[in-house]
Each structure stands twice: as C-alpha cells, then as structure tokens.
Amino acid sequence: MVNIEAANNFIQDIIKEDIAAGKNDGRVHTRFPPEPNGWLHIGHAFAVNLNYRLAMSHGGKFNLRFDDTNPLKEEQEYVDSIMADVKWLGADWEDRLFFASDYFEQKYRLAVYLIEQGLAYVDDLSADEMRAYRGTLTEPGKESPYRTRSVGENLDLFARMRRGEFPDGSRTLRAKIDMHSPNLNMRDPALYRIRHAHHHRTGNAWCIYPMYDYSHPIGDYLENITHSLCSLEYADHRPLYDWVVEHMSRAFPAGGRPQQTEFGRVSLSYTVMSKRKLRRLVEEGHVAGWDDPRLPTIAGLRRRGYTPSALRTFSALCGVARKNVTMELAVLEHCIREELNATAPRVMAVLRPLKLVLENYPAGQVEWLEVENNPEDQQSGMRLVPFSREIYIEQEDFMEVPVKKFHRLTVGGEVRLKGAYIIRCERVVKDPDTREITELRCTYDPESKSGGPQSGRKIKGTSHWVSLPHAAEAEVRLYDTLFSKAEPEDAAEGGDFMAHLNPDSLVVLTGCKVEASLTRALPGSRYQFLRQGYFYADPQSQANGRTVFNRIVGLKDTWAR
RNA sequence: GGGGGAUUGGUCUAACGGUAGGACGACUGACUCUGGAUCAGUUUGUGGAGGUUCAAAUCCUUCAUCCCCUGCCA
C-alpha cells in the first residue's frame, strides 16, 4: 500500500522550512483555482489531491476558488461539474468556496491605489499596437505614448472605463513596470480590459474585468493562502505575482503573504489531456460525452468505476517535480486493481456463453454450492450458487484444437468448475451448416465436489460458469484505451492524433450470462468477475430493469491470448 | 548574442558530498479450485566532456537535448 502521508517532495520540503522559520505563523493554507470553462481531468485530480493533501498533512486548510475573470468563456454549468468532481475526489473546502469575482471591488480599489502611486496607467493602444510595442523575445519593448499620463487623467479615465463609457478593446489599464525587462510578463502587463459582457455571477455589474496575473495574487492574499501552487508555465509570472502581492500588502495590510510555487503537470499515456483535443473527441462524436468512461476526465473515470481513493493513491505515486510528466496507464490501473482486489466481491459472469450439458448429472436436480465471496477478505463470507445439468462456460475456455499450454477444456480433457465439480468434455455439438460449436456434451465426476473428501485431485485449469436455468442476462461494456498509441499526440509528421483512435476502445456485449444475484446489483457497486476483471454497475444505464456493467480494468493476464 | 525551467533503468520517483534505493512494468520460478492474488528472484539507470575532492547523481565549467514565454486567455 502507498503511504500517502509520507510521500516526499520538494514542496513538502518548502513547507517544512516555512513552518520551521515561523513564516505565516506556521499556517498552511492551499487552494485549487480552476477556471470554470471546461471539465476536470486526471491531471487536475492530481493538483486537487496535492493541494488538499499538503494542507491536511500540516493541519492546514484548503479552499476552492473559481477563477472567473473572463466572462466570455465561463459558465455556471462548469462550476457545477467542477464542484461535483472536487467533492467526489474527497477534497473538502468546508465553507470556503470562493470566486475571483467575489473580489472585483477590492481589485478595483487596488487598481486605483496603483494609479495614485504612479504604478499603473490607462493605455489607448490597440491590441495590435500593444503587441508591436511589446517587442520580441530577443528585443526590448518600447514605452506606450500614454504611459506618462497624469495621475488625475488616469483616475478619470479608469473611472469612466468602469462606468462603461468606452467600447471593448479601446483601452486597458496597465501596470507601469519595465518595457525593457527580459521577462515579457513584466513589460507593462495589462491589468484590466473592457468587456461589455454578462458575467455568470456579477451579471452586468462590471464591464471591466481583471486579468489573471493581477487577479490571482489578490485572491490568494485576501484568503490568507500561504502556498499558492500552480503549473510550470507560470514560473515566468512569479515576479509579477510578487509585485501585485507587494503592492496589495502596502495598500491593504493585514492579508497573508502567499508564495507561488510551480510544479509539473501530470499526463497519462494512451490518452490526450488538452481541453481542445478532449473537446474534439466529444464534439466529433468519438465518445459519448464528457463522462464517457474512455475519457481521462474525472467524470469519465467516475463513470468507468474508478474510486476517489484509487485516484488519491495514483496522485501520491506521481510524485511532484519541476517538470511535466506522463504517467504510464499501468500505474493508474495498478491503483484500482490493488484496491478492488481487496474489496470487490467475486462473482461469476460468462461474457461470451457456450452451453455445456453434463450428461451424467440428473435432469432437474439443483445443488446450491458454497462459493467464497472474496478470498482476499475472510470477513466477506460465502454465498450459495445454483448448479445444474446445463450450464454456460466462457467460449474461450474451450478449444477443440488446443494450443500449447492451454489449461482449460478440450475434447477428452478435464477442467475444474469453480466451486463445483471436475468435468470431462466428451464431444462437441456443431451447427450442421456453419460448423460453429453450439454445445459441449460433458460428464462430471461426482467424487470431485468442491470441499468434498475426494476434491483434492489436481486439475490444471479452473473455469467459471453459470447455471443455465438460473442465469440472468446482462449487458457488459468492455472498455479499452481510446488510443492505440501510448503517445497519441506524438503524431508522426503530418499525422493527427485522431489517426491513432483505437477502433476497439468499446466493445458492447449483450446476452452475457451472470449469476442471478447480480440482477440485484446496486447501481454503483463494483465486482470482480472471476478471471475477467473488475466491473462497475453503471448507475446511468441501470434503469428500467436493465443490468449494465462497465469494465473498469481487466485482470492482469500472463496467459498470452 | 533574450528570459525561465528541466535532464537518474521502459515509466515515475528517492538519495541534500559518503553503499544509486523504491514503485509500476517486463521476465523467471514457486504456489494457487481465478493463467487473478501472493511469495521468491532477474533485468535495465545518474545526457556528454572536463574540473574540484580521499570521495560527485549531488559542487564548478562547458556542451547537448527537451519544455515554457512575444493574449486586452487562464
């Protein structure tokens, strides 16, 4: 088992040093700051879990704060889905749910302060002009002609910007920092832009909206955040973050002293993570929606059957680094297998049924056999499973012409039926037209009953089965990776990641034969289908008597198929 | 001839000048009424070149490679 608490990383080190130095009075307070403009994926789950774990392991607090400073892109729908995802992951923000828009007024007041201090000015440059003035990566920028406006004029113009006197894009408020800085983010960054747009929370109260670099540190400051974690690409923005915090603390003392620390994003092999690519998959209909179980979205993983604890374990296994990493899918799968191996009840389900008749078993007789619910969990007890003359076994558990090292049923061969008897296959019945095998005629060894005195006879193979008259029907959805390539984005020249879509990422099996007890499977419950894998009773499809299982992950299989 | 970050086996990660370790994967074997699980074992690594030092993944120099930055996005 992974010891999540003990997981060591460079951010833990920073926090320990900060506590030892008495910084922020030893408090630890983190936050997760999503923009409500899309769905969360497993990379976000890593960030959520990291922030939450860091806070909890130091007796600290964790906030959820929506970064909603761009009314053109953000919607309530995403707020709802993100809240549901974060809650499901187990990160508890208690009563600290915030929005960047909660602080629009304070942000405005700091802007006024900056203008008064000669640290910000209203610029009339167009977007194109501003771009031209900014310079390039290798050449310094040049100062805007509006940079030297008087404080009075700036104050007046900024107030009129707020009042809505100017059209979109006509002016911005800019910080007066250094147009010659080698760091482009410090070349008089825009603080406010004009957007006459409806905001999902503030409605039409504002027509100027703060930029991320200006807004974010203020939110951290006001919420007393101590450790503001973000992804690597913001490292260049840190001087600006510090600049804003510095002036905020001068204008409005008594806030916290947040410190930004960057860490690498986590991606997964055999899938894509970018918002744009996920959107394409959904919009072009390659998946059924944002919660399609093949997607790496939190909603998709939840629908697939993954558990919050498995995602927490995965997050801890990722480690924390100053570089972006791509985790192997196998690690994620390991996390859910490890958990479900210990907790999931075992059950017999025949996915591709083959009828088998025991010729020497009395017709009409039924035996209720005791089968263990989970050999890994002695507390789980036994259940009774009906056995009769006619049963189903898995088609692939019989080979008329066995390949080498095949351990299961062949003509004249024997196999153990799990929890029942050893049987021998006498002959095969085929469809006279298609030559397909329709039925196996077998005999059983009455002395070999499981748990009985003669049951010790060694048989190399064991098959799972379901009694034909007692079987229930179910639909089973076998999910596989959405892409057949470990790095689908690593498309060869000219290639597109869509070229690597796996045509077999979803195989729907109907007419599967399962233990009758499964018709009462609670939606949302998880089972191990013996020898098949771990399955999830899909809550969204379980309605009106239908029984639908999603394959979360297969069992490891060292038998090369 | 811009700035920032990074480089440890297939993947992820630890080692903070002192035995390169762990996880996942892969491969063997044992065991098994799940070809699962479990157990035992094997395999593969400090990007290159110099230097400092008794001792370098770690410090210095240099080269190489990769990622990010020229939104009124976040």
Side-chain angles (χ1 to χ4, degrees), chain A residues 195-249:
Chain A
R195 284 248 206 288
H196 292 267
H198 183 268
H199 185 277
H200 74 114
R201 288 186 63 87
T202 60
N204 297 316
W206 294 86
C207 63
I208 55 171
Y209 291 92
M211 302 288 293
Y212 168 87
D213 282 328
Y214 175 68
S215 168
H216 202 87
I218 297 174
D220 286 344
Y221 181 86
L222 293 172
E223 290 174 20
N224 280 297
I225 298 301
T226 58
H227 298 268
S228 183
L229 312 184
C230 62
S231 47
L232 251 27
E233 66 268 28
Y234 290 104
D236 286 340
H237 299 239
R238 196 184 332 125
L240 181 51
Y241 180 96
D242 292 339
W243 186 92
V244 174
V245 169
E246 174 61 26
H247 293 297
M248 186 68 189
S249 70

Side-chain angles (χ1 to χ4, degrees), chain A residues 143-164:
Chain A
E143 297 179 350
S144 164
Y146 303 97
R147 198 176 199 259
T148 52
R149 284 218 253 236
S150 70
V151 169
E153 191 184 356
N154 280 320
L155 249 16
D156 174 61
L157 252 17
F158 189 50
R160 290 166 63 193
M161 277 170 65
R162 175 177 185 171
R163 254 182 271 138

Side-chain angles (χ1 to χ4, degrees), chain A residues 367 369 416 419-422 445-455:
Chain A
E367 284 181 274
L369 304 171
R416 155 76 65 183
Y421 299 92
I422 294 170
D445 173 3
E447 301 299 309
S448 65
K449 187 172 175 178
S450 277
Q454 306 295 314
S455 66

